Amino acid sequence: MTLKLYNTLTRKKEVFEPQDASNVRMYVCGPTVYDYAHIGNARPVIVFDVLFRLLRHLYGEDHVTYARNITDVDDKIIARAADEDRAISDLTEETTRQFHDDIRALGVLMPEDVNTPGATPSFIEPKATEHIPQMIAMIECLIASGHAYEAEGHVLFDVTSKDDYGKLARRSLDEMEAGARVEVAPYKKGQMDFVLWKPSLAKQPGWESPWGRGRPGWHIECSAMSEAHLGESFDIHGGGIDLLFPHHENEVAQSECAHGGKPFARYWLHNGFLQVEGEKMSKSLGNFVTVRELLDKGWPGEVIRFAMLKTHYRQPINWTQKGLMDAALELQTFANWTSDEDDEPTSDEPASSIVAALSDDLNTPLAVAELHKLVKTFSPGHSDEVKQKGIEQLRNSLRLIGLGELDGYDANKIASTITYGRDGPQIDEARVGQLIAERTAARKTKDFKKSDEIRDQLAEMGIALKDGPDGTTWEVAR
RNA sequence: GGCCACGUGGCGGAGUGGUGACGCAGCGGACUGCAAAUCCGUUUACCCCGGUUCGAGUCCGGGCGUGGCCUCCA
């Protein structure tokens, strides 16, 4: 199966050819830990989790290395900790824990899920604060090679020292300088030069360095951590499109200059942006949707994940309540088939149509369409053998996109929880049971007038009935 | 202001030079006492204006709209 990926570097869909098929390496920019992850933060985590799963499927579980960092030193963190009058490590550790809880609920693979104790880990979650020496070493190397300079306690990268600076974001220095709107710090040689290291006040977190006590600039951590865990040159670098400039451009500049011009990441993947109910998600509009809020409200992680994957990763998403509900109902179609398992699986192979869809630049919406088509191949009137094989393929295919845990899934219950809250409406279950018994009795004597009256009465109480072969069941109407 | 994306049926959302993806909703049918659920079938589309082509949602140019980056925010 050929994997094709859209490479931001070339702005084309390309056939993916790893440097070393026995060790495919991917780096993704992770969160800055100072607050709950919002739905926009969750997107790259989910998208690249699917890619990680696909790579493991295509190249073998032992032949993929994935690094997704935690940024735990940053001015936003410093400011938040100061606001809340708490220790920085306290804030970053708690936020990291919350982040892990959230994404685990979204069905995202965690290092402990894939790493074997004692073996080389295939999933690393490096922290910036644990790589300060590597950052300092890289900065020293950049100074020594004439790409960086020290000024007033800062170390800055000289963008004019790299001929092809701007190649990833496709901007020229002239354009950027013409379009710049900010005042330039007086110690900068060029207005686009960016900080590699900056001095820290006594109160701020800092590390001793050749340039005094200070802390790293924003971009250097990813260059240092990817080098430490994936090497100077690796296959895939992922992140949100918003990071393209300046963050990723500057990573390229730092790494390639520190590595004697050796190419940095070979394939750059960027996920699209997200809006909420048609508006930009912003603090000023007060429409930030955190993963935690959605989970607390009663949206299962699988629904959030599925809603995300229904849109191609490069497209913008308009995140809406209706979209979530649609996703919840659609997921029921698959859960209907996968929930009851009795037979031992004979294979863990997903359907080739789903692998093919994912292999075409991670086309998850097409993969979902293929899942529906797969269900149609076995749903009604087929032999048990065909059905069994189909269900197995469906289950394996869902697992490939991280939706393998649908046992007990109940869209109606979800809808009811969302509508009425976790405690639900006040329902007198004994009374409901009594009415249903009365109705059943009426139906037995073919007194359908009375039977329908009772059903109407229950409907007014917010109860919907289902008459099945094994009797009548009820649920909260939505 | 500069640079970059995106704009598909009532809604969501793939595709991207030549047979109407797929899902929801709607409509018709099966099932059901009637419904619900489930299953089967099915109507509706490519922002606007030019151009290229035998043929354009699909390529090119212009316009409009939305969004992103350039500046802390993903």
Side-chain angles (χ1 to χ4, degrees), chain A residues 197-229:
Chain A
W197 190 264
K198 54 186 161 189
S200 289
L201 303 169
K203 277 189 156 181
Q204 295 170 324
W207 290 262
E208 289 308 324
S209 79
W211 320 285
R213 186 175 171 281
R215 59 189 193 280
W218 175 27
H219 318 295
I220 194 73
E221 58 169 281
C222 289
S223 287
M225 289 189 279
S226 60
E227 181 197 274
H229 299 283

PDB file of all heavy atoms in Angstrom, chain A residues 197-229:
ATOM      1  N   TRP A 197      17.771  32.376  23.101  1.00  0.00           N
ATOM      2  CA  TRP A 197      17.976  32.353  24.544  1.00  0.00           C
ATOM      3  C   TRP A 197      17.715  33.745  25.097  1.00  0.00           C
ATOM      4  O   TRP A 197      18.078  34.726  24.450  1.00  0.00           O
ATOM      5  CB  TRP A 197      19.419  31.934  24.863  1.00  0.00           C
ATOM      6  CG  TRP A 197      19.667  31.660  26.321  1.00  0.00           C
ATOM      7  CD1 TRP A 197      20.183  32.533  27.224  1.00  0.00           C
ATOM      8  CD2 TRP A 197      19.397  30.451  27.014  1.00  0.00           C
ATOM      9  NE1 TRP A 197      20.254  31.931  28.461  1.00  0.00           N
ATOM     10  CE2 TRP A 197      19.772  30.652  28.360  1.00  0.00           C
ATOM     11  CE3 TRP A 197      18.866  29.206  26.640  1.00  0.00           C
ATOM     12  CZ2 TRP A 197      19.640  29.661  29.338  1.00  0.00           C
ATOM     13  CZ3 TRP A 197      18.752  28.225  27.605  1.00  0.00           C
ATOM     14  CH2 TRP A 197      19.130  28.456  28.938  1.00  0.00           C
ATOM     15  N   LYS A 198      17.051  33.813  26.246  1.00  0.00           N
ATOM     16  CA  LYS A 198      16.830  35.150  26.800  1.00  0.00           C
ATOM     17  C   LYS A 198      17.093  35.146  28.299  1.00  0.00           C
ATOM     18  O   LYS A 198      16.936  34.104  28.962  1.00  0.00           O
ATOM     19  CB  LYS A 198      15.415  35.640  26.491  1.00  0.00           C
ATOM     20  CG  LYS A 198      14.297  34.712  26.908  1.00  0.00           C
ATOM     21  CD  LYS A 198      12.965  35.286  26.390  1.00  0.00           C
ATOM     22  CE  LYS A 198      11.871  34.253  26.348  1.00  0.00           C
ATOM     23  NZ  LYS A 198      10.666  34.733  25.661  1.00  0.00           N
ATOM     24  N   PRO A 199      17.490  36.285  28.819  1.00  0.00           N
ATOM     25  CA  PRO A 199      17.826  36.331  30.238  1.00  0.00           C
ATOM     26  C   PRO A 199      16.581  36.228  31.108  1.00  0.00           C
ATOM     27  O   PRO A 199      15.499  36.655  30.705  1.00  0.00           O
ATOM     28  CB  PRO A 199      18.481  37.702  30.407  1.00  0.00           C
ATOM     29  CG  PRO A 199      17.950  38.521  29.288  1.00  0.00           C
ATOM     30  CD  PRO A 199      17.679  37.584  28.153  1.00  0.00           C
ATOM     31  N   SER A 200      16.747  35.625  32.287  1.00  0.00           N
ATOM     32  CA  SER A 200      15.632  35.522  33.230  1.00  0.00           C
ATOM     33  C   SER A 200      15.888  36.413  34.431  1.00  0.00           C
ATOM     34  O   SER A 200      17.015  36.503  34.918  1.00  0.00           O
ATOM     35  CB  SER A 200      15.481  34.072  33.711  1.00  0.00           C
ATOM     36  OG  SER A 200      14.987  33.256  32.696  1.00  0.00           O
ATOM     37  N   LEU A 201      14.829  37.049  34.893  1.00  0.00           N
ATOM     38  CA  LEU A 201      14.926  37.767  36.167  1.00  0.00           C
ATOM     39  C   LEU A 201      15.024  36.736  37.288  1.00  0.00           C
ATOM     40  O   LEU A 201      14.710  35.560  37.092  1.00  0.00           O
ATOM     41  CB  LEU A 201      13.675  38.629  36.373  1.00  0.00           C
ATOM     42  CG  LEU A 201      13.381  39.651  35.277  1.00  0.00           C
ATOM     43  CD1 LEU A 201      11.997  40.256  35.456  1.00  0.00           C
ATOM     44  CD2 LEU A 201      14.449  40.747  35.269  1.00  0.00           C
ATOM     45  N   ALA A 202      15.398  37.208  38.452  1.00  0.00           N
ATOM     46  CA  ALA A 202      15.585  36.280  39.570  1.00  0.00           C
ATOM     47  C   ALA A 202      14.339  35.444  39.828  1.00  0.00           C
ATOM     48  O   ALA A 202      14.409  34.262  40.131  1.00  0.00           O
ATOM     49  CB  ALA A 202      15.963  37.059  40.827  1.00  0.00           C
ATOM     50  N   LYS A 203      13.172  36.079  39.680  1.00  0.00           N
ATOM     51  CA  LYS A 203      11.908  35.376  39.960  1.00  0.00           C
ATOM     52  C   LYS A 203      11.530  34.379  38.879  1.00  0.00           C
ATOM     53  O   LYS A 203      10.720  33.483  39.106  1.00  0.00           O
ATOM     54  CB  LYS A 203      10.764  36.402  40.074  1.00  0.00           C
ATOM     55  CG  LYS A 203      10.651  37.049  41.430  1.00  0.00           C
ATOM     56  CD  LYS A 203       9.370  37.850  41.488  1.00  0.00           C
ATOM     57  CE  LYS A 203       8.901  38.038  42.920  1.00  0.00           C
ATOM     58  NZ  LYS A 203       7.643  38.806  42.964  1.00  0.00           N
ATOM     59  N   GLN A 204      12.040  34.590  37.680  1.00  0.00           N
ATOM     60  CA  GLN A 204      11.643  33.740  36.565  1.00  0.00           C
ATOM     61  C   GLN A 204      12.478  32.474  36.531  1.00  0.00           C
ATOM     62  O   GLN A 204      13.602  32.464  37.029  1.00  0.00           O
ATOM     63  CB  GLN A 204      11.825  34.506  35.244  1.00  0.00           C
ATOM     64  CG  GLN A 204      10.900  35.708  35.141  1.00  0.00           C
ATOM     65  CD  GLN A 204      11.244  36.598  33.967  1.00  0.00           C
ATOM     66  OE1 GLN A 204      12.413  36.770  33.637  1.00  0.00           O
ATOM     67  NE2 GLN A 204      10.225  37.174  33.354  1.00  0.00           N
ATOM     68  N   PRO A 205      11.950  31.422  35.973  1.00  0.00           N
ATOM     69  CA  PRO A 205      12.731  30.196  35.874  1.00  0.00           C
ATOM     70  C   PRO A 205      13.944  30.433  34.985  1.00  0.00           C
ATOM     71  O   PRO A 205      13.841  31.165  33.994  1.00  0.00           O
ATOM     72  CB  PRO A 205      11.763  29.201  35.225  1.00  0.00           C
ATOM     73  CG  PRO A 205      10.757  30.048  34.513  1.00  0.00           C
ATOM     74  CD  PRO A 205      10.633  31.301  35.311  1.00  0.00           C
ATOM     75  N   GLY A 206      15.071  29.865  35.347  1.00  0.00           N
ATOM     76  CA  GLY A 206      16.260  30.088  34.535  1.00  0.00           C
ATOM     77  C   GLY A 206      17.298  29.004  34.747  1.00  0.00           C
ATOM     78  O   GLY A 206      17.241  28.254  35.722  1.00  0.00           O
ATOM     79  N   TRP A 207      18.160  28.913  33.798  1.00  0.00           N
ATOM     80  CA  TRP A 207      19.239  27.928  33.855  1.00  0.00           C
ATOM     81  C   TRP A 207      20.543  28.659  33.556  1.00  0.00           C
ATOM     82  O   TRP A 207      20.557  29.625  32.763  1.00  0.00           O
ATOM     83  CB  TRP A 207      19.022  26.835  32.808  1.00  0.00           C
ATOM     84  CG  TRP A 207      17.861  25.927  33.119  1.00  0.00           C
ATOM     85  CD1 TRP A 207      17.918  24.692  33.705  1.00  0.00           C
ATOM     86  CD2 TRP A 207      16.466  26.164  32.852  1.00  0.00           C
ATOM     87  NE1 TRP A 207      16.664  24.148  33.830  1.00  0.00           N
ATOM     88  CE2 TRP A 207      15.735  25.033  33.313  1.00  0.00           C
ATOM     89  CE3 TRP A 207      15.747  27.228  32.281  1.00  0.00           C
ATOM     90  CZ2 TRP A 207      14.359  24.922  33.211  1.00  0.00           C
ATOM     91  CZ3 TRP A 207      14.366  27.119  32.188  1.00  0.00           C
ATOM     92  CH2 TRP A 207      13.688  25.978  32.649  1.00  0.00           C
ATOM     93  N   GLU A 208      21.627  28.199  34.201  1.00  0.00           N
ATOM     94  CA  GLU A 208      22.920  28.799  33.914  1.00  0.00           C
ATOM     95  C   GLU A 208      23.327  28.444  32.494  1.00  0.00           C
ATOM     96  O   GLU A 208      23.108  27.324  32.042  1.00  0.00           O
ATOM     97  CB  GLU A 208      23.974  28.295  34.910  1.00  0.00           C
ATOM     98  CG  GLU A 208      23.773  28.849  36.323  1.00  0.00           C
ATOM     99  CD  GLU A 208      23.649  30.385  36.368  1.00  0.00           C
ATOM    100  OE1 GLU A 208      24.334  31.066  35.570  1.00  0.00           O
ATOM    101  OE2 GLU A 208      22.856  30.889  37.195  1.00  0.00           O
ATOM    102  N   SER A 209      23.920  29.442  31.823  1.00  0.00           N
ATOM    103  CA  SER A 209      24.353  29.202  30.446  1.00  0.00           C
ATOM    104  C   SER A 209      25.583  30.061  30.191  1.00  0.00           C
ATOM    105  O   SER A 209      25.904  30.929  31.012  1.00  0.00           O
ATOM    106  CB  SER A 209      23.235  29.607  29.484  1.00  0.00           C
ATOM    107  OG  SER A 209      23.226  31.014  29.326  1.00  0.00           O
ATOM    108  N   PRO A 210      26.241  29.858  29.071  1.00  0.00           N
ATOM    109  CA  PRO A 210      27.391  30.718  28.740  1.00  0.00           C
ATOM    110  C   PRO A 210      26.999  32.192  28.631  1.00  0.00           C
ATOM    111  O   PRO A 210      27.860  33.058  28.633  1.00  0.00           O
ATOM    112  CB  PRO A 210      27.839  30.174  27.379  1.00  0.00           C
ATOM    113  CG  PRO A 210      27.336  28.775  27.334  1.00  0.00           C
ATOM    114  CD  PRO A 210      26.059  28.779  28.102  1.00  0.00           C
ATOM    115  N   TRP A 211      25.693  32.490  28.533  1.00  0.00           N
ATOM    116  CA  TRP A 211      25.244  33.869  28.364  1.00  0.00           C
ATOM    117  C   TRP A 211      24.538  34.371  29.608  1.00  0.00           C
ATOM    118  O   TRP A 211      23.755  35.313  29.564  1.00  0.00           O
ATOM    119  CB  TRP A 211      24.319  33.936  27.147  1.00  0.00           C
ATOM    120  CG  TRP A 211      24.865  33.052  26.055  1.00  0.00           C
ATOM    121  CD1 TRP A 211      25.931  33.329  25.257  1.00  0.00           C
ATOM    122  CD2 TRP A 211      24.421  31.735  25.734  1.00  0.00           C
ATOM    123  NE1 TRP A 211      26.191  32.256  24.438  1.00  0.00           N
ATOM    124  CE2 TRP A 211      25.281  31.267  24.705  1.00  0.00           C
ATOM    125  CE3 TRP A 211      23.413  30.892  26.195  1.00  0.00           C
ATOM    126  CZ2 TRP A 211      25.155  29.985  24.143  1.00  0.00           C
ATOM    127  CZ3 TRP A 211      23.272  29.627  25.622  1.00  0.00           C
ATOM    128  CH2 TRP A 211      24.130  29.185  24.618  1.00  0.00           C
ATOM    129  N   GLY A 212      24.812  33.705  30.703  1.00  0.00           N
ATOM    130  CA  GLY A 212      24.194  34.082  31.971  1.00  0.00           C
ATOM    131  C   GLY A 212      22.962  33.249  32.238  1.00  0.00           C
ATOM    132  O   GLY A 212      22.567  32.405  31.428  1.00  0.00           O
ATOM    133  N   ARG A 213      22.321  33.537  33.375  1.00  0.00           N
ATOM    134  CA  ARG A 213      21.133  32.766  33.743  1.00  0.00           C
ATOM    135  C   ARG A 213      19.973  33.175  32.833  1.00  0.00           C
ATOM    136  O   ARG A 213      19.675  34.364  32.671  1.00  0.00           O
ATOM    137  CB  ARG A 213      20.785  33.048  35.211  1.00  0.00           C
ATOM    138  CG  ARG A 213      19.648  32.188  35.740  1.00  0.00           C
ATOM    139  CD  ARG A 213      19.445  32.426  37.241  1.00  0.00           C
ATOM    140  NE  ARG A 213      18.229  31.760  37.708  1.00  0.00           N
ATOM    141  CZ  ARG A 213      17.003  32.239  37.546  1.00  0.00           C
ATOM    142  NH1 ARG A 213      16.824  33.403  36.963  1.00  0.00           N
ATOM    143  NH2 ARG A 213      15.960  31.558  37.977  1.00  0.00           N
ATOM    144  N   GLY A 214      19.343  32.199  32.253  1.00  0.00           N
ATOM    145  CA  GLY A 214      18.273  32.546  31.326  1.00  0.00           C
ATOM    146  C   GLY A 214      17.416  31.342  30.985  1.00  0.00           C
ATOM    147  O   GLY A 214      17.453  30.324  31.667  1.00  0.00           O
ATOM    148  N   ARG A 215      16.633  31.516  29.920  1.00  0.00           N
ATOM    149  CA  ARG A 215      15.742  30.437  29.495  1.00  0.00           C
ATOM    150  C   ARG A 215      15.669  30.433  27.975  1.00  0.00           C
ATOM    151  O   ARG A 215      15.961  31.446  27.318  1.00  0.00           O
ATOM    152  CB  ARG A 215      14.364  30.610  30.127  1.00  0.00           C
ATOM    153  CG  ARG A 215      13.665  31.922  29.792  1.00  0.00           C
ATOM    154  CD  ARG A 215      12.415  32.077  30.650  1.00  0.00           C
ATOM    155  NE  ARG A 215      11.530  33.141  30.186  1.00  0.00           N
ATOM    156  CZ  ARG A 215      11.712  34.440  30.423  1.00  0.00           C
ATOM    157  NH1 ARG A 215      12.777  34.860  31.106  1.00  0.00           N
ATOM    158  NH2 ARG A 215      10.856  35.332  29.964  1.00  0.00           N
ATOM    159  N   PRO A 216      15.221  29.315  27.426  1.00  0.00           N
ATOM    160  CA  PRO A 216      15.235  29.200  25.963  1.00  0.00           C
ATOM    161  C   PRO A 216      14.126  30.012  25.308  1.00  0.00           C
ATOM    162  O   PRO A 216      13.084  30.270  25.912  1.00  0.00           O
ATOM    163  CB  PRO A 216      15.013  27.700  25.731  1.00  0.00           C
ATOM    164  CG  PRO A 216      14.325  27.206  26.963  1.00  0.00           C
ATOM    165  CD  PRO A 216      14.828  28.053  28.091  1.00  0.00           C
ATOM    166  N   GLY A 217      14.348  30.374  24.075  1.00  0.00           N
ATOM    167  CA  GLY A 217      13.279  30.951  23.257  1.00  0.00           C
ATOM    168  C   GLY A 217      12.310  29.845  22.878  1.00  0.00           C
ATOM    169  O   GLY A 217      12.519  28.676  23.171  1.00  0.00           O
ATOM    170  N   TRP A 218      11.250  30.235  22.200  1.00  0.00           N
ATOM    171  CA  TRP A 218      10.169  29.300  21.947  1.00  0.00           C
ATOM    172  C   TRP A 218      10.569  28.147  21.027  1.00  0.00           C
ATOM    173  O   TRP A 218      10.182  26.996  21.234  1.00  0.00           O
ATOM    174  CB  TRP A 218       8.992  30.076  21.348  1.00  0.00           C
ATOM    175  CG  TRP A 218       7.823  29.261  20.901  1.00  0.00           C
ATOM    176  CD1 TRP A 218       7.439  28.040  21.389  1.00  0.00           C
ATOM    177  CD2 TRP A 218       6.884  29.591  19.877  1.00  0.00           C
ATOM    178  NE1 TRP A 218       6.308  27.610  20.743  1.00  0.00           N
ATOM    179  CE2 TRP A 218       5.944  28.550  19.815  1.00  0.00           C
ATOM    180  CE3 TRP A 218       6.740  30.691  19.026  1.00  0.00           C
ATOM    181  CZ2 TRP A 218       4.879  28.574  18.909  1.00  0.00           C
ATOM    182  CZ3 TRP A 218       5.681  30.704  18.149  1.00  0.00           C
ATOM    183  CH2 TRP A 218       4.760  29.659  18.083  1.00  0.00           C
ATOM    184  N   HIS A 219      11.331  28.450  19.968  1.00  0.00           N
ATOM    185  CA  HIS A 219      11.496  27.465  18.901  1.00  0.00           C
ATOM    186  C   HIS A 219      12.580  26.428  19.154  1.00  0.00           C
ATOM    187  O   HIS A 219      12.500  25.322  18.637  1.00  0.00           O
ATOM    188  CB  HIS A 219      11.797  28.185  17.591  1.00  0.00           C
ATOM    189  CG  HIS A 219      10.965  29.407  17.392  1.00  0.00           C
ATOM    190  ND1 HIS A 219       9.606  29.346  17.231  1.00  0.00           N
ATOM    191  CD2 HIS A 219      11.291  30.729  17.385  1.00  0.00           C
ATOM    192  CE1 HIS A 219       9.127  30.583  17.093  1.00  0.00           C
ATOM    193  NE2 HIS A 219      10.130  31.437  17.190  1.00  0.00           N
ATOM    194  N   ILE A 220      13.581  26.795  19.954  1.00  0.00           N
ATOM    195  CA  ILE A 220      14.762  25.945  20.063  1.00  0.00           C
ATOM    196  C   ILE A 220      14.454  24.589  20.692  1.00  0.00           C
ATOM    197  O   ILE A 220      15.090  23.584  20.385  1.00  0.00           O
ATOM    198  CB  ILE A 220      15.881  26.681  20.867  1.00  0.00           C
ATOM    199  CG1 ILE A 220      17.233  25.972  20.718  1.00  0.00           C
ATOM    200  CG2 ILE A 220      15.507  26.847  22.325  1.00  0.00           C
ATOM    201  CD1 ILE A 220      17.876  26.167  19.362  1.00  0.00           C
ATOM    202  N   GLU A 221      13.422  24.534  21.528  1.00  0.00           N
ATOM    203  CA  GLU A 221      13.139  23.270  22.205  1.00  0.00           C
ATOM    204  C   GLU A 221      12.811  22.157  21.218  1.00  0.00           C
ATOM    205  O   GLU A 221      13.265  21.030  21.369  1.00  0.00           O
ATOM    206  CB  GLU A 221      11.996  23.441  23.205  1.00  0.00           C
ATOM    207  CG  GLU A 221      10.720  23.940  22.567  1.00  0.00           C
ATOM    208  CD  GLU A 221       9.512  23.855  23.503  1.00  0.00           C
ATOM    209  OE1 GLU A 221       8.995  22.743  23.632  1.00  0.00           O
ATOM    210  OE2 GLU A 221       9.119  24.883  24.082  1.00  0.00           O
ATOM    211  N   CYS A 222      12.009  22.484  20.213  1.00  0.00           N
ATOM    212  CA  CYS A 222      11.617  21.447  19.269  1.00  0.00           C
ATOM    213  C   CYS A 222      12.804  20.976  18.437  1.00  0.00           C
ATOM    214  O   CYS A 222      12.914  19.793  18.112  1.00  0.00           O
ATOM    215  CB  CYS A 222      10.492  21.938  18.363  1.00  0.00           C
ATOM    216  SG  CYS A 222       8.932  22.087  19.256  1.00  0.00           S
ATOM    217  N   SER A 223      13.698  21.906  18.102  1.00  0.00           N
ATOM    218  CA  SER A 223      14.900  21.520  17.364  1.00  0.00           C
ATOM    219  C   SER A 223      15.764  20.588  18.214  1.00  0.00           C
ATOM    220  O   SER A 223      16.268  19.572  17.735  1.00  0.00           O
ATOM    221  CB  SER A 223      15.722  22.753  16.988  1.00  0.00           C
ATOM    222  OG  SER A 223      15.073  23.462  15.951  1.00  0.00           O
ATOM    223  N   ALA A 224      15.906  20.947  19.498  1.00  0.00           N
ATOM    224  CA  ALA A 224      16.776  20.150  20.371  1.00  0.00           C
ATOM    225  C   ALA A 224      16.149  18.788  20.676  1.00  0.00           C
ATOM    226  O   ALA A 224      16.837  17.760  20.686  1.00  0.00           O
ATOM    227  CB  ALA A 224      17.039  20.910  21.668  1.00  0.00           C
ATOM    228  N   MET A 225      14.853  18.772  20.919  1.00  0.00           N
ATOM    229  CA  MET A 225      14.209  17.513  21.292  1.00  0.00           C
ATOM    230  C   MET A 225      14.080  16.563  20.118  1.00  0.00           C
ATOM    231  O   MET A 225      14.241  15.357  20.261  1.00  0.00           O
ATOM    232  CB  MET A 225      12.845  17.788  21.918  1.00  0.00           C
ATOM    233  CG  MET A 225      12.985  18.400  23.312  1.00  0.00           C
ATOM    234  SD  MET A 225      11.431  18.506  24.189  1.00  0.00           S
ATOM    235  CE  MET A 225      10.738  19.982  23.482  1.00  0.00           C
ATOM    236  N   SER A 226      13.788  17.099  18.936  1.00  0.00           N
ATOM    237  CA  SER A 226      13.688  16.200  17.782  1.00  0.00           C
ATOM    238  C   SER A 226      15.058  15.603  17.476  1.00  0.00           C
ATOM    239  O   SER A 226      15.167  14.420  17.156  1.00  0.00           O
ATOM    240  CB  SER A 226      13.122  16.938  16.565  1.00  0.00           C
ATOM    241  OG  SER A 226      13.930  18.020  16.193  1.00  0.00           O
ATOM    242  N   GLU A 227      16.097  16.409  17.622  1.00  0.00           N
ATOM    243  CA  GLU A 227      17.447  15.884  17.390  1.00  0.00           C
ATOM    244  C   GLU A 227      17.785  14.786  18.406  1.00  0.00           C
ATOM    245  O   GLU A 227      18.292  13.728  18.054  1.00  0.00           O
ATOM    246  CB  GLU A 227      18.489  17.005  17.497  1.00  0.00           C
ATOM    247  CG  GLU A 227      19.911  16.536  17.244  1.00  0.00           C
ATOM    248  CD  GLU A 227      20.944  17.541  17.759  1.00  0.00           C
ATOM    249  OE1 GLU A 227      21.265  18.461  17.008  1.00  0.00           O
ATOM    250  OE2 GLU A 227      21.403  17.394  18.907  1.00  0.00           O
ATOM    251  N   ALA A 228      17.431  15.047  19.663  1.00  0.00           N
ATOM    252  CA  ALA A 228      17.775  14.096  20.719  1.00  0.00           C
ATOM    253  C   ALA A 228      17.069  12.755  20.528  1.00  0.00           C
ATOM    254  O   ALA A 228      17.631  11.704  20.817  1.00  0.00           O
ATOM    255  CB  ALA A 228      17.410  14.681  22.083  1.00  0.00           C
ATOM    256  N   HIS A 229      15.848  12.785  20.048  1.00  0.00           N
ATOM    257  CA  HIS A 229      15.061  11.545  20.009  1.00  0.00           C
ATOM    258  C   HIS A 229      14.878  10.945  18.624  1.00  0.00           C
ATOM    259  O   HIS A 229      14.599   9.754  18.505  1.00  0.00           O
ATOM    260  CB  HIS A 229      13.698  11.776  20.659  1.00  0.00           C
ATOM    261  CG  HIS A 229      13.816  12.176  22.101  1.00  0.00           C
ATOM    262  ND1 HIS A 229      14.099  11.265  23.094  1.00  0.00           N
ATOM    263  CD2 HIS A 229      13.769  13.390  22.703  1.00  0.00           C
ATOM    264  CE1 HIS A 229      14.177  11.904  24.261  1.00  0.00           C
ATOM    265  NE2 HIS A 229      13.992  13.201  24.044  1.00  0.00           N
TER     266      HIS A 229
END
